Amino acid sequence: MLSTTDFQNDKDLSNLRVDLHSHTNCSDGALTPQELIERAVNFQIDVLAITDHDTVSGLDSAKQTILDKNIPLTLIDGIEISTEWQGFEIHIVGLNIDPNNEALLSLIEQQQQRRETRAITMGEKLTKCGFPDIYQQAKALAGAGSITRAHFARVLLQQGAVSKMQAAFDKYIGKGNRAYVKPNWCSIEEAVAIIHAAGGVAVMAHPIRYDLSTKWLRRLIVHFKAVAGDGLEVVLPQMNDAQRKLMLSFCLEYELHASMGSDFHQPSRWSDLGRNLRMPEHAKPIWQIW
Ligand code: AMP
Ligand code: MN
Ligand code: MN
Ligand code: MN
C-alpha cells in the first residue's frame, strides 16, 4: 500500500472517502491509470483501490502519478479475479495484495491465457453471427491489457450491431446466448488462497449481480466462507435498500467483513468514483483486517 498520510495505522477510514473497486484501461476501463488517479483527486477520494480484471499492470503507473504529483491519495493494490463456481462466473476482489507475489503472478499468467483462448473462440462464434474480424478489433481495443467481453460489446456497439452494451450481452455474449463461451477460470478457493498468499484480503465482488436466487446466493456465500473468503461488497451504487440489508445480514450471519466500491469503468451519468458509498453502521469494514 502506498500512503501519503498516516491514518492507516489505526485503520479507521470511516471519515474518509473510500472506493475499493475500480478499473483502468489495463482491463476494460476507459481511463489510463494516470487519468483514473486524476479523476479520483477531482472527486476528493482519499482511498482508492484499482482492481483490474486478472491483472495488476496498472498499479505501477498509478503509483508513479501519485508520487510525481504529490497527490494526497492512498492507493490500495488490488485485482479482480474471475472464477467459476457451479457454472457461474463469480468475481473475487483481492485488496492490499503484494502485486509482485509469485503465486499471484503465475495465476495472472494462466488467467490471461484463458482470456485469450476464450476471446479467440468468442471471435469465431461472432463471425458465424455475421461479424467477421471482431476478435482482431476487440484485441486492438484491449491493447496490452486484459481482453474482456466488454471489449467485444464495445466493438458491436461501434459497428451499430447493438444500440447499447447491455444488448451485446443479451443478444450474443451473455451466458446462454449464441456467442457465449463457457470460460475455464480458476476456482473461488484458488483465488482466495492466492490472494491470501499475496498478503491480501478476499472480497466477493457485487454479489447482487450474479442473477442468483436468495437460496443460491446463500449457497455461494457459504462456499465462499468455507474456503476462507474475508468479505462481501455490501455497498454498490446500484443497490437498493432491500439488497443492502440482505448483504449486511449475510455479513453478520457468516462473519464476513464489508467492502464498498463503485466498480468504476468510465465516466457516466449513473455512477462515478466514490459516489453514494457509505459504510453501514453495523458492518465490520474490510480495512480492519488488511
Ligand atoms: P469478462 O470478464 O470478459 O467476462 O467481461 C466481463 C465484463 O463485461 C464485466 O466486468 C463488465 O465490465 C462487463 N459486463 C458484464 N456484463 C455486462 C452487461 N450486462 N452490460 C454491460 N457490461 C457488462
Ligand atoms: Mn469490467
Ligand atoms: Mn466484476
Ligand atoms: Mn469490476
Side-chain angles (χ1 to χ4, degrees), residues 21 23 27-29 53-54 80-82 89 91 115 118 122 146-154 164-170 173-174 180-181 183 185 206 209 263-266:
H21 189 153
H23 294 274
S27 66
D28 57 356
H53 298 286
D54 297 306
E80 182 172 12
I81 300 175
S82 287
E89 296 186 46
H91 291 179
R115 284 192 171 276
R118 183 182 64 150
M122 207 179 307
S146 289
I147 187 163
T148 74
R149 282 183 291 167
H151 296 102
F152 283 88
R154 275 188 207 134
K164 49 185 177 151
M165 295 265 289
Q166 178 66 45
F169 286 84
D170 295 344
I173 56 179
Y180 180 71
V181 181
W185 305 129
H206 43 67
R209 266 196 243 147
D263 200 5
F264 176 85
H265 282 76
Q266 63 217 339

Side-chain angles (χ1 to χ4, degrees), residues 126-127 130-137 159:
L126 284 166
T127 298
F131 308 107
D133 302 327
I134 193 161
Y135 164 76
Q136 284 81 359
Q137 289 163 289
Q159 292 187 354

Side-chain angles (χ1 to χ4, degrees), residues 5 7 12-18 44 46-47 260 277 287:
T5 49
F7 55 74
D12 182 9
L13 312 189
S14 42
N15 292 318
L16 300 172
R17 284 177 73 97
V18 179
Q44 296 170 310
D46 299 300
V47 181
M260 58 185 188
L277 300 179
W287 52 74

Side-chain angles (χ1 to χ4, degrees), residues 92-117:
I92 306 296
V93 163
L95 296 173
N96 214 22
I97 49 165
D98 168 8
N100 298 311
N101 177 272
E102 290 209 355
L104 178 66
L105 292 174
S106 149
L107 175 67
I108 287 174
E109 207 178 301
Q110 289 174 47
Q111 295 279 100
Q112 289 299 327
Q113 190 57 52
R114 290 163 179 154
R115 284 192 171 276
E116 187 61 26
T117 307

